[in-house]
């Protein structure tokens, strides 16, 4: 049997390194996996002879990371969107390949800008990687899944930096540590004379960052306000294949009304689009029963429902109860799931291949204020809006509680719901606020201001998760500055990396003259 050569084994190792990284995200939460995984990739990047070689290595790593981490896109497209198996598989692969291109670009630019200097590459890798994570959060409306900063939430000491620089700043720190260790290993393997110095410096820097994070975990960025509020998060467990079926609409309405009336909580929360009818078509009996029960509890009920206004449809959350009724309309919609980008070009996909309800919604305003309900100021966000930290802080510091209502039944029994839960944990950390998640099939949870799970309902079970939620006031540095602190650090790094390249270019500009006339004497 012929053994594979090191050159043949390398792509396999890179792919597996990428897949290994998934263990650092929910539901596994093994945060060292991301650093170990990145070390394997960076070991090869430091030895890459050309930007092209580094790009190929990064692309293979990315295929492993996203192939293992977002495979559930296929479930959404095929199992629930009814897309043909082949097209669903191709579409999922193309998305993974597109995401992997970001790693390829980071590798190529890191080698190019480092000019064969290891110390420069040590800066280039984390700066460019963190920036690529940030770009993924907004390009084509954004898809920040598997952003490296989330791999440290909530248990790693590095998670303590989230309230200061956000998850993209933690991406920078995480990748920097892996880059530093990777360089140290390369120097050891090549018997570099400076290895002992690099090893000592690596240990010192690692300890400073790690201990600094451990100490920051003791900092309380926000202050409890008022008494804790009793909450009930309703998880109806309505099968996605039946959710919009007219035959079971009445049953679903009765189920949620019954679940709400069984709770004595001051704040009762239903999932995204829990009631499968338009808000204008809700039976009067349903709204009256819910309102009367909320008043009896001296609180309010949040209802997930679709609104229609002036011919437009909105994914909304309404409040009913003691306080005047308010509404939140989802503003960051899911492309291809809630709206059709470039409808003239891609409309045929929905006509011929997909069968998704509510695929052409309208956006709510980006300037919506917290709801004053149940004695709290509640910042509501719907579904995957909570993966965008810079959007969540729009309602802060006014808001005292965060609420996410979602329906991850689209992804079946996969990792998606757990990964989505980890996003919510990061938002709690960034803002110093309690996060309440009410979902259709999971992950329904109560998350404290440090990102820890206080309570977590079993998935795919009809249940009510009850508990107490503490409101908070005040601002973390991230609430005040958003991603600007992180971007400022990256900008400084880019200046350091690009300055020699810039100086090399300027000598070709018209009128440029050398500052010193070498080789000539009077």
């Amino acid at each position: 049997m012929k053994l594979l050569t090191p050159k043949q084994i390398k792509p396999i190792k890179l792919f597996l390194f990428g897949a290994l990284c998934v263990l650092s995200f929910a539901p596994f939460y093994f945060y060292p996996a991301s650093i170990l995984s990145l070390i394997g990739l960076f070991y090869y990047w430091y030895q890459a002879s050309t930007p092209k070689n580094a790009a190929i290595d990064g692309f293979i790593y990315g295929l492993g990371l996203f192939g293992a981490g977002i495979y559930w896109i296929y479930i959404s497209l095929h199992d629930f969107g009814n897309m043909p198996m082949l097209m669903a598989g191709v579409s999922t692969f193309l998305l993974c390949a597109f995401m992997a291109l970001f790693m390829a670009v980071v590798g190529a630019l890191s080698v190019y800008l480092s000019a064969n200097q290891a110390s420069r590459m040590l800066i280039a890798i984390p700066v460019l990687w963190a920036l690529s994570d940030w770009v993924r959060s907004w390009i084509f409306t954004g898809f920040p899944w598997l952003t490296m900063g989330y791999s440290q939430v909530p248990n790693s000491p590095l998670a303590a930096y989230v309230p200061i620089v956000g998850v993209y700043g933690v991406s920078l720190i995480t990748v920097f540590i892996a880059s530093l260790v990777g360089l140290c290993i390369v120097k050891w393997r090549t018997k570099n004379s400076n290895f002992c110095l690099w090893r000592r410096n690596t240990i010192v820097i690692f300890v400073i960052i790690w201990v600094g994070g451990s100490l920051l975990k003791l900092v309380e960025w926000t202050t409890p306000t008022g008494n804790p509020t009793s909450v009930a998060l309703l998880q109806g467990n309505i099968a996605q294949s039946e959710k919009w079926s007219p035959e079971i609409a009445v049953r679903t309405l009765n189920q949620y009304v019954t679940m709400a009336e069984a709770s004595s909580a001051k704040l009762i929360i239903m999932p995204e689009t829990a009631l499968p009818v338009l808000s204008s078509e809700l039976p009067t009996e349903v709204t009256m029963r819910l309102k009367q029960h909320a008043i009896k509890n001296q609180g309010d009920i949040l209802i997930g429902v679709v609104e229609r206004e002036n011919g437009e449809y909105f994914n909304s959350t309404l409040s009913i109860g003691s306080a005047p009724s308010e509404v939140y309309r989802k503003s960051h919609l899911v492309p291809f799931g809630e709206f059709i980008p470039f409808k003239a070009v891609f409309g045929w996909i929905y006509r011929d291949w997909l069968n998704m309800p509510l695929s052409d919604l309208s956006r709510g305003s980006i300037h919506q204020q917290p709801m004053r309900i149940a004695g709290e100021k509640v910042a509501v966000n719907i579904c995957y809006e909570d993966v965008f930290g810079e959007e969540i802080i729009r309602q802060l510091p006014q808001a005292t509680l965060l609420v996410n209502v979602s329906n991850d039944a689209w992804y079946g029994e996969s990792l998606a719901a757990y990964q989505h839960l980890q996003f919510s944990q990061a938002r709690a950390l960034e803002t110093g606020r309690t996060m309440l998640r009410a979902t259709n099939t999971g992950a329904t949870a109560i998350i404290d201001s440090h990102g820890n799970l206080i309570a977590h309902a079993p998935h795919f079970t009809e249940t009510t998760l009850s508990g107490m939620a503490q409101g908070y006031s005040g601002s973390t540095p991230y609430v005040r500055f958003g991603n600007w602190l992180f971007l400022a650090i990256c900008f400084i790094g880019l200046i350091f990396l690009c300055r020699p390249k810039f100086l090399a270019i300027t000598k070709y500009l018209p009128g440029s003259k050398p500052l010193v006339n070498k080789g000539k004497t009077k």
Side-chain angles (χ1 to χ4, degrees), residues 65-232:
L65 171 63
F66 292 105
I70 61 170
Y71 66 92
W72 38 262
I73 294 292
Y74 173 85
I75 298 174
S76 176
L77 295 175
H78 177 260
D79 294 7
F80 299 110
N82 297 317
M83 180 179 279
M85 181 184 299
L86 177 60
M87 294 308 303
V90 170
S91 299
T92 303
F93 173 79
L94 289 177
L95 176 61
C96 293
F98 175 72
M99 294 292 107
L101 284 176
F102 285 87
M103 282 72 177
V105 172
V106 171
L109 287 178
S110 296
V111 172
Y112 174 73
L113 293 176
S114 65
N116 296 320
Q117 297 180 32
S119 58
R120 289 173 57 80
M121 196 165 178
L122 178 63
I123 303 300
I125 291 175
V127 168
L128 295 173
W129 190 294
L131 283 174
S132 76
D133 276 351
W134 173 68
V135 170
R136 283 200 295 115
S137 75
W138 53 260
I139 192 171
F140 303 127
T141 77
F143 188 74
W145 241 264
L146 303 180
T147 289
M148 209 53 66
Y150 290 107
S151 70
Q152 304 301 302
V153 174
N155 301 317
S156 167
L158 300 185
Y161 294 97
V162 169
I164 303 174
V165 291
V167 290
Y168 303 113
V170 175
S171 283
L172 180 74
I173 298 169
T174 304
V175 176
F176 173 73
I177 289 175
S179 178
L180 189 61
V181 175
L183 177 57
C184 195
I185 292 175
V186 169
K187 289 185 176 294
W188 169 62
R189 292 293 300 271
T190 58
K191 296 180 171 56
N192 189 282
S193 59
N194 293 326
F195 166 68
C196 292
L197 176 62
W198 275 98
R199 180 181 61 183
R200 185 190 66 190
N201 292 341
T202 297
I203 293 173
V204 170
I205 294 172
F206 179 83
V207 169
I208 290 173
I209 294 175
W210 213 254
V211 172
S214 299
L215 294 176
L216 281 173
K217 282 205 167 190
L218 304 177
V219 176
E220 297 291 343
W221 297 103
T222 53
T223 306
T225 177
N227 296 319
T229 301
S230 58
V231 298

Side-chain angles (χ1 to χ4, degrees), residues 13-25 28 30 32-38 40 61 64-65 68:
K13 291 168 67 175
L14 286 166
F15 185 89
L16 293 177
F17 282 145
L20 169 67
C21 190
V22 176
L23 295 178
S24 61
F25 298 93
F28 311 105
F30 183 60
S34 61
I35 297 177
L36 295 173
S37 166
L38 290 170
Y61 176 92
L65 171 63

Side-chain angles (χ1 to χ4, degrees), residues 169-402:
V170 175
S171 283
L172 180 74
I173 298 169
T174 304
V175 176
F176 173 73
I177 289 175
S179 178
L180 189 61
V181 175
L183 177 57
C184 195
I185 292 175
V186 169
K187 289 185 176 294
W188 169 62
R189 292 293 300 271
T190 58
K191 296 180 171 56
N192 189 282
S193 59
N194 293 326
F195 166 68
C196 292
L197 176 62
W198 275 98
R199 180 181 61 183
R200 185 190 66 190
N201 292 341
T202 297
I203 293 173
V204 170
I205 294 172
F206 179 83
V207 169
I208 290 173
I209 294 175
W210 213 254
V211 172
S214 299
L215 294 176
L216 281 173
K217 282 205 167 190
L218 304 177
V219 176
E220 297 291 343
W221 297 103
T222 53
T223 306
T225 177
N227 296 319
T229 301
S230 58
V231 298
L233 314 179
L234 310 187
Q235 181 174 290
N237 192 36
I238 308 299
Q240 189 60 38
S241 58
E242 299 177 349
K243 182 173 176 62
W244 298 104
S245 174
E247 292 78 15
I248 70 162
V250 174
R251 189 184 78 189
T252 301
L253 287 173
N254 290 333
Q255 175 182 337
Y256 272 110
V257 171
T258 301
M259 293 176 73
E261 290 179 332
S263 172
S264 59
K266 192 172 183 179
L267 178 59
I268 300 172
I269 307 172
M270 296 185 189
E272 174 189 17
T273 59
L275 306 186
V277 295
L278 294 174
S279 60
S280 58
E281 297 176 1
L282 273 174
T284 303
E285 179 188 359
V286 169
T287 55
M288 289 304 300
R289 285 175 63 182
L290 291 174
K291 184 177 180 66
Q292 289 171 3
H293 183 70
I295 293 173
K296 175 186 173 183
N297 292 350
Q298 299 182 330
D300 297 273
I301 299 175
L302 286 176
I303 302 171
V305 71
V306 176
E307 283 187 294
R308 180 174 60 193
E309 183 178 283
N310 299 324
E312 294 184 306
Y313 294 83
F314 299 90
N315 187 349
S316 303
T317 297
L318 309 177
S319 69
I320 293 179
S322 303
S325 183
E326 297 188 62
V327 60
Y328 173 83
R329 291 173 171 174
K330 187 177 183 182
S331 62
H332 197 134
L333 303 180
V334 182
F336 298 106
E338 293 175 315
F339 79 100
I340 306 173
F342 308 108
K343 189 182 299 185
V345 178
F346 295 114
W348 60 276
I349 295 178
Y350 289 83
R351 183 181 65 250
D352 300 334
W353 287 348
L354 279 173
N355 180 27
M356 288 189 175
L358 306 177
S359 59
D360 198 11
L361 296 171
S362 297
R363 291 180 173 84
S365 170
I366 63 172
H367 303 294
Q368 301 184 65
Q369 296 301 310
M371 295 183 181
R372 295 177 178 268
I373 56 176
E376 300 285 351
K377 298 175 185 177
V378 179
V380 177
N381 56 87
I382 298 176
C383 193
Y384 97 141
E385 283 186 316
D386 71 335
V387 310
F388 304 100
E390 65 278 10
E391 297 180 9
I392 297 299
I393 61 175
R394 290 172 183 163
Q395 299 188 58
L396 294 166
Q398 291 83 4
T400 57
L401 277 179
L402 302 181

Side-chain angles (χ1 to χ4, degrees), residues 233 235 421 435-439 443-447 453 455-457 465:
L233 314 179
Q235 181 174 290
L421 171 65
M435 168 71 87
L436 305 175
R437 300 193 83 242
T439 70
T444 299
I446 300 174
I447 305 167
L453 292 176
H456 184 187
L465 184 65

